[in-house]
Amino acid sequence: MWRTVPNKTMSTAIALVTALLLAACGTAGPTRPGSSGGPLIWAVEGGAVDVYQDSVQRFNQSHPGKQFELQAFQNDPYKQKLRVAMGAGNPPDVFYGWGGGILDSYAKAGNVHDLAPQLQQDPAWATKFFPNVMESVTFDGKVYGIPMRGMQPVILFYNKELFQQHGVQPPRTWQDLLALIGKFRSAGLTPISLAGASRWTYLMWEEYLVERLGGPQVFHDVLAGKPGSWSHPAFIQANTMIRELVDAGAFGDGFASVSYDTGQQSALLYTGKSPMELMGSWDFSNILESQPDFIKSGKLGFTSFPAIPGGVGDPANVVGNTTNFYSVAEKSPHRADAVEYLKTTVMDDAYVDQLIKVGDVPPVQGIDAKLSHADNSDYLQFVYKLTQNAPNFQLSWDQALPPEQAEALLTNLEQLFLGKSTPAQFSEAMNGTLR
Amino acid sequence: MTGRSGPSLLLLLPAAAFFGVFALAPMGIVAILSFFSWDGLNTPSWTGLDNWARFAQDSVTHQAIWLSIKVMILSWLLQTAVSLLLGAYVAGRQRSRAVLGAVYILPLLLSAAAIGIAWKNLLDPNFGLLGATGDALGLAALKQNWLGDSDLALYTVIFVVGWQFIPFHTLLYQAATRQIPRSLYEAASIDGAGRFRQFVTITLPQLRYTMVTSTTLILVGSLTYFDLVFVMTSGGPGNETRILPLDMYVNGFASYEMGYASAIAVVLVLFGIALSLLLVKLSGFTRMRSQMEGA
């Protein structure tokens, strides 16, 4: 039956199909990500996405002819999508980020616009934000981003009901914490909830211990790539203390398979299985969503990480995700409009009010009054004061470091928590990643 | 007109173009990339054999290779044994078997991500159903840290992967068993062979080529398996379930060391090709003798 079709017709048909196929491959690549052709903003989905959307609409209304478009993505896919767009030299005009090492690498590749000159021209804009937060986007005097969300310091959350039952107070010093661990352990509880399967949860302990013991300079040396900087005594001592915690059963036996993404770490706290957890301030909104009664009945307690007597670091310092930032692409044809949008609309009064409404605490000066009228104002004010008074707000190390060092850090830290490596081995392995 | 029978070679062109663009070309690029250092952002820079030297020394990758081989062998043992028996069983025509057959095939309908999340929650030591059942029945053995214990995690993963794929291989064996001519069994029962004897001397030899197909799929499949492990453990605890594809992913998309990840990818491809060639050769699959009566 094959012979019935004239050969020429067949070849033409096949050539056509092949051409279509190849053409389809060809056009999938270098098209612009936007649909309307106007300036494009990329952000990450989450509780505040309506705030971003509203600000875009307000800007578009007050600036006829400038039609910004916002696209929001899931967190993890977004990071890869942005990187691919950056690698292809084709990023959106405005993009969402976390500051730190990844932003620095985009800036070094010439993809991010330096906002320092514009900030200098407008002192009101420049002084609007907390300086300790702006450090996350400042490299060599150049500023590559503007805060657009709430701050996320790491906080010690505790279950007030369990603390009352056992007649104890939240820990103020490391010794208090150790005593609490012994007490709760003998009561059959897992003293501290820790979602080890997520790995970055381990890092919060390491960051605070090193910060309290050795101060900010210890990690700054690591960031600067100083040879042997992971062997600083603060690391050895912090990691020894971590081993002591694990060996004392502070995190229970099952922490290696507890996962943060499925909400288990917070669940251990509000179901009364664990009296304490160390977590970013966003956990408040998570608990408010999954167990609102726990917060409404006043059972959720929060305090800063305990002081370590004899440590060099200021006990007022905090670690965490400073905030999220909008950055402007260097090669964007809409650069001036993008800067105008950041300056006039992001973090204006309406924007700040809306953020506070969804439980965010923006790194903006002088909003105490706004916070005191909000729902859950005691918590919001606690976060605001904590970060405002912090001489140093250390960006999470996995964000601050370049990606390959961050990955090595999480891997080695996990080995330490699981008892597969010693503090000395940790320092040695990490020194090998410095460059 | 060449006088050859069958369709013109030109008909191959669309498929060949598709395969070339989406399979061969990326493989070639990956092979080239394995000699470069590339973070996905800046221009790749030539580093010669650096990635390969690292591959020869990297103990994490070596462990990943060993884990992959272990997963491959244990998966094969588990999946073949269970699906062969199940397949032969549900091949029977009884109604009860048909119902059971339908139930066994359920996991085939679920996506790997859904299976991963479901099992992760079932096996959770604090809130999981398995642990709760253990508490209720007083069976402490059920209340393990299934995915968090270094000694258990890999076997738990192999079990769940098996749970996902056994239905598919059961289907293969069921279909193949039904193809075996009844006359063989009738002749055997006249000769006085019991059910066990019939299974060993008729069913098993007749399933030979199905077994080769199923084995190839299991071995090559578990060599390149990724999604379920990624969802359930992400390679943890520590590196206890960090199989080679996961090691490649972490190096490529967490550390952004695309050059080194490419080197691992090349090894995976070569290993996979060698494995399927070896299986085809050893099993005599190329000769494809028919075992049907009268052939």
Side-chain angles (χ1 to χ4, degrees):
Chain A
M1 74 162 281
W2 292 106
R3 313 271 166 194
T4 55
V5 184
N7 233 348
K8 208 169 178 181
T9 325
M10 195 53 131
S11 328
T12 319
I14 291 161
L16 206 69
V17 170
T18 316
L20 278 174
L21 189 79
L22 291 175
C25 311
T27 49
T31 41
R32 246 190 75 81
S35 53
S36 64
L40 182 68
I41 303 169
W42 275 6
V44 166
E45 290 280 2
V49 77
D50 292 341
V51 183
Y52 319 153
Q53 193 69 57
D54 184 68
S55 75
V56 169
Q57 273 164 15
R58 285 188 291 121
F59 182 83
N60 287 347
Q61 272 162 20
S62 57
H63 294 72
K66 317 256 190 247
Q67 288 304 306
F68 271 80
E69 187 192 349
L70 179 94
Q71 293 179 349
F73 305 91
Q74 291 292 316
N75 189 59
D76 288 352
Y78 170 75
K79 290 180 178 169
Q80 278 173 24
K81 191 178 170 70
L82 182 66
R83 192 170 182 95
V84 170
M86 286 285 175
N90 195 24
D93 304 283
V94 177
F95 58 91
Y96 178 105
W98 291 259
I102 292 185
L103 182 64
D104 193 22
S105 68
Y106 293 157
K108 284 208 175 91
N111 282 326
V112 193
H113 179 57
D114 173 20
L115 295 159
Q118 277 108 341
L119 283 164
Q120 271 158 19
Q121 280 168 19
D122 187 347
W125 193 27
T127 53
K128 187 172 182 179
F129 308 109
F130 287 3
N132 57 10
V133 166
M134 292 306 285
E135 268 171 38
S136 308
V137 285
T138 308
F139 312 106
D140 301 325
K142 300 192 167 79
V143 182
Y144 291 109
I146 295 298
M148 47 75 69
R149 261 215 87 168
M151 295 176 288
Q152 301 173 334
V154 173
I155 293 169
L156 188 71
F157 290 100
Y158 62 96
N159 184 324
K160 279 187 182 166
E161 196 178 29
L162 285 177
F163 271 65
Q164 269 161 17
Q165 273 172 22
H166 292 87
V168 288
Q169 294 298 314
R172 301 173 67 88
T173 65
W174 190 250
Q175 283 66 28
D176 292 351
L177 186 72
L178 291 179
L180 283 175
I181 287 168
K183 183 141 191 166
F184 286 125
R185 187 84 190 146
S186 52
L189 295 166
T190 300
I192 300 166
S193 169
L194 176 65
S198 300
R199 300 197 309 171
W200 47 263
T201 45
Y202 293 138
L203 191 56
M204 296 177 164
W205 288 92
E206 174 86 2
E207 286 163 349
Y208 259 128
L209 285 172
V210 171
E211 171 66 60
R212 293 279 185 272
L213 288 165
Q217 192 56 39
V218 179
F219 184 67
H220 288 172
D221 286 348
V222 168
L223 269 186
K226 205 172 126 190
S229 48
W230 284 101
S231 296
H232 191 285
F235 284 115
I236 303 284
Q237 204 187 336
N239 289 338
T240 310
M241 288 160 87
I242 285 176
R243 285 303 320 152
E244 284 165 9
L245 283 185
V246 175
D247 292 340
F251 308 112
D253 306 321
F255 66 86
S257 63
V258 177
S259 164
Y260 184 80
D261 300 335
T262 45
Q264 292 165 359
Q265 175 169 326
S266 334
L268 283 169
L269 181 81
Y270 61 68
T271 55
K273 294 191 181 192
S274 284
M276 292 178 275
E277 70 159 340
L278 190 64
M279 190 34 71
S281 61
W282 61 81
D283 212 42
F284 187 88
S285 339
N286 287 354
I287 297 175
L288 197 59
E289 198 173 297
S290 41
Q291 195 78 349
D293 288 344
F294 186 69
I295 288 178
K296 283 179 189 141
S297 56
K299 289 180 191 159
L300 180 68
F302 36 84
T303 182
S304 51
F305 193 83
I308 301 177
V312 176
D314 190 327
N317 284 345
V318 288
V319 306
N321 293 349
T322 47
T323 186
N324 293 114
F325 302 89
Y326 271 145
S327 303
V328 177
E330 178 69 15
K331 297 185 191 91
S332 159
H334 306 284
R335 221 168 65 187
D337 294 339
V339 173
E340 178 72 9
Y341 165 67
L342 294 187
K343 190 192 266 187
T344 59
T345 318
V346 174
M347 290 293 182
D348 66 0
D349 266 355
Y351 195 103
V352 168
D353 285 339
Q354 291 174 13
L355 276 185
I356 292 174
K357 212 167 209 169
V358 297
D360 267 23
V361 181
V364 172
Q365 306 280 10
I367 55 169
D368 311 67
K370 283 179 192 285
L371 289 168
S372 62
H373 300 310
D375 289 346
N376 304 308
S377 63
D378 52 342
Y379 178 70
L380 300 183
Q381 283 175 307
F382 164 75
V383 171
Y384 192 67
K385 286 272 173 321
L386 184 74
T387 42
Q388 194 177 33
N389 298 335
N392 183 48
F393 190 165
Q394 175 58 52
L395 177 64
S396 296
W397 295 357
D398 53 347
Q399 305 288 345
L401 286 168
E404 73 277 9
Q405 293 181 37
E407 177 60 30
L409 170 63
L410 293 178
T411 307
N412 282 300
L413 200 56
E414 185 179 26
Q415 302 286 0
L416 181 85
F417 269 85
L418 296 178
K420 300 214 161 136
S421 74
T422 63
Q425 286 167 332
F426 171 91
S427 294
E428 195 195 327
M430 286 312 296
N431 278 334
T433 68
L434 288 168
R435 58 174 76 146
Chain B
M1 294 289 153
T2 56
R4 272 185 306 115
S5 62
S8 152
L9 270 180
L10 272 176
L11 283 177
L12 198 61
L13 205 59
F18 207 85
F19 186 68
V21 171
F22 291 108
L24 290 181
M27 271 192 241
I29 294 170
V30 158
I32 297 169
L33 210 52
S34 71
F35 298 100
F36 285 82
S37 163
W38 188 41
D39 61 0
L41 264 191
N42 298 293
T43 330
S45 62
W46 173 265
T47 51
L49 289 172
D50 280 9
N51 288 327
W52 291 97
R54 181 175 160 195
F55 184 84
Q57 288 168 353
D58 193 328
S59 60
V60 175
T61 303
H62 293 174
Q63 195 202 1
I65 295 176
W66 167 234
L67 283 176
S68 278
I69 294 175
K70 212 165 156 185
V71 167
M72 210 164 75
I73 294 171
L74 293 176
S75 289
W76 180 77
L77 285 174
L78 172 75
Q79 295 183 24
T80 305
V82 177
S83 54
L84 180 61
L85 292 175
L86 267 182
Y89 176 75
V90 294
R93 306 277 168 186
Q94 296 87 329
R95 176 169 294 236
S96 61
R97 295 188 181 194
V99 172
L100 280 178
V103 173
Y104 293 144
I105 281 153
L106 270 180
L108 207 54
L109 303 173
L110 308 173
S111 77
I115 293 176
I117 293 169
W119 276 99
K120 200 169 150 177
N121 283 319
L122 286 173
L123 297 171
D124 182 79
N126 295 303
F127 303 103
L129 186 66
L130 206 61
T133 316
D135 279 344
L137 300 178
L139 289 171
L142 282 181
K143 206 174 161 59
Q144 302 279 348
N145 193 2
W146 295 103
L147 289 170
D149 186 322
S150 305
D151 300 325
L152 281 176
L154 186 72
Y155 303 103
T156 311
V157 166
I158 291 172
F159 168 80
V160 179
V161 172
W163 188 86
Q164 183 187 12
F165 285 106
I166 283 171
F168 173 72
H169 295 281
T170 303
L171 268 186
L172 285 185
Y173 284 117
Q174 182 198 24
T177 309
R178 286 195 172 159
Q179 298 254 324
I180 302 172
R182 295 195 84 98
S183 52
L184 294 179
Y185 291 102
E186 283 155 11
S189 14
I190 291 169
D191 290 343
R195 304 199 78 170
F196 179 74
R197 184 75 193 274
Q198 287 182 14
F199 181 76
V200 174
T201 54
I202 300 172
T203 314
L204 276 187
Q206 290 284 325
L207 290 178
R208 191 177 166 198
Y209 290 128
T210 312
M211 222 178 280
V212 175
T213 311
S214 156
T215 300
T216 312
L217 288 173
I218 295 176
L219 291 187
V220 178
S222 43
L223 182 70
T224 56
Y225 202 58
F226 173 78
D227 27 12
L228 197 58
V229 189
F230 180 68
V231 173
M232 277 203 304
T233 66
S234 304
N239 294 324
E240 297 304 326
T241 58
R242 181 161 163 161
I243 51 177
L244 201 54
L246 209 57
D247 190 49
M248 172 180 78
Y249 174 83
V250 170
N251 278 304
F253 292 97
S255 303
Y256 293 113
E257 293 176 290
M258 293 291 176
Y260 184 56
S262 298
I264 300 175
V266 169
V267 172
L268 265 176
V269 168
L270 294 181
F271 199 6
I273 292 175
L275 195 69
S276 16
L277 287 180
L278 190 75
L279 280 171
V280 166
K281 204 170 167 75
L282 283 183
S283 60
F285 197 60
T286 38
R287 295 190 294 282
M288 260 301 180
R289 287 179 290 113
S290 170
Q291 291 175 321
M292 290 294 172
E293 46 184 346

